[in-house]
């Protein structure tokens, strides 16, 4: 079972999210929080696999709560955070990802996409709604120019293909199917990407590649 804490300050919305997750037989909501501080406390007490985090809440907001939860590491360092919000501005997205969130989905997303997003993040994957990924690309391309080529890590053509599919929100099995390679090979390519970009997870790999102009 994937054990989830749902953090949202609107009771009706929170109840709707809890009800949606209840339709999945492999997901269990173990706690509900009305703000970031309560989400942090419940994470420490319950050690969930995942916190489904709203961004704008009274007191401690979602970005700060995400940073605190991941800095504390939950009870054993295994808790991940998936942002589920109505906000899709550049600053909201970048703030959540820099805080360490493993994914960013909008509440308007199809219900099946939200449930699969929870499963994917619980498996250690990165989840970015397609329009969010596109927005990140646009932000980077319109911002500071990438460093000189000599300072930019070189990814192989295959590594770039894999990373582009990660940025589009695809899971390892989906990437393997799309590129006609084994899932173990996908994992190997990702490990090489992490090493070259000096990062430790899929979300940061995508954002770092965008910062460098590789995506």
């Amino acid at each position: 079972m994937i054990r989830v804490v749902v953090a949202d300050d609107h009771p009706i919305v929170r109840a709707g999210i809890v009800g949606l997750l209840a339709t999945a037989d492999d997901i269990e909501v173990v706690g509900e929080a009305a703000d970031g501080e309560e989400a942090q406390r419940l994470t420490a007490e319950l050690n969930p696999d995942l916190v489904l985090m709203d961004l704008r809440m009274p007191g401690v907001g979602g970005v700060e709560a995400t940073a605190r939860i991941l800095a504390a590491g939950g009870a054993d360092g295994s808790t991940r955070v998936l942002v589920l919000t109505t906000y899709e501005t550049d600053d909201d997205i970048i703030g959540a990802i820099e805080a360490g969130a493993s994914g960013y989905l909008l509440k308007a997303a199809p219900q099946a996409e939200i449930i699969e997003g929870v499963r994917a993040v619980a498996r250690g994957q990165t989840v970015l709604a397609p329009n969010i990924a596109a927005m990140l690309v646009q932000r980077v391309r319109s911002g500071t120019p990438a460093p000189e080529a000599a300072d930019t890590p070189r990814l192989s053509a295959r590594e770039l293909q894999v990373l582009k599919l990660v940025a589009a929100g695809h899971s390892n099995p989906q990437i393997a199917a799309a590129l006609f390679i084994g899932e173990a090979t996908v994992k190997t390519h990702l490990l090489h990407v992490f090493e070259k970009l000096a990062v430790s997870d899929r979300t940061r790999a995508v954002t770092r590649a965008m910062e460098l102009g590789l995506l």
Side-chain angles (χ1 to χ4, degrees):
M1 293 292 288
I2 302 170
R3 302 172 68 254
V4 177
V5 165
V6 176
D8 196 298
D9 61 317
H10 294 95
I12 295 177
V13 174
R14 190 170 66 247
I17 296 170
V18 171
L20 169 62
L21 298 181
T23 65
D25 57 11
D26 58 342
I27 299 174
E28 177 187 8
V29 176
V30 296
E32 299 180 37
D35 56 47
E37 186 173 0
E38 189 175 12
Q40 184 184 3
R41 178 180 60 79
L42 288 176
T43 299
E45 290 179 2
L46 302 172
N47 189 30
D49 299 300
L50 182 144
V51 179
L52 200 56
M53 183 78 73
D54 190 18
L55 280 187
R56 300 184 186 178
M57 297 180 287
V60 177
V63 171
E64 184 177 352
T66 296
R68 290 184 185 182
I69 288 169
L70 297 180
D76 63 2
S78 63
T79 300
R80 297 181 174 89
V81 176
L82 171 59
V83 170
L84 181 65
T85 184
T86 57
Y87 304 103
E88 53 180 318
T89 65
D90 288 16
D91 289 341
D92 288 325
I93 298 165
I94 294 297
I97 290 175
E98 288 181 344
S102 295
Y104 197 112
L105 292 177
L106 299 175
K107 291 176 182 175
Q111 294 184 347
E113 182 178 321
I114 294 173
I115 290 176
E116 185 51 41
V118 169
R119 291 170 175 154
V121 169
R123 290 193 298 265
Q125 297 172 2
T126 299
V127 175
L128 291 174
N131 56 326
I132 298 300
M135 187 177 292
L136 285 171
V137 171
Q138 181 59 36
R139 178 187 175 102
V140 172
R141 287 179 177 171
S142 63
T144 305
E148 294 298 321
D151 299 325
T152 302
R154 292 189 177 183
L155 301 184
S156 70
R158 181 64 90 186
E159 288 165 355
L160 279 173
Q161 286 180 316
V162 170
L163 194 55
K164 286 177 181 178
L165 290 171
V166 169
H170 294 290
S171 66
N172 285 1
Q174 290 171 331
I175 295 171
L179 299 180
F180 302 101
I181 57 178
E183 191 173 344
T185 303
V186 174
K187 292 178 181 178
T188 299
H189 285 313
L190 284 175
L191 288 174
H192 291 163
V193 169
F194 293 171
E195 182 178 357
K196 290 179 179 180
L197 299 183
V199 299
S200 59
D201 61 74
R202 296 160 69 98
T203 303
R204 185 56 186 151
V206 170
T207 56
R208 182 60 180 154
M210 290 176 176
E211 291 167 0
L212 294 170
L214 298 174
L215 290 179

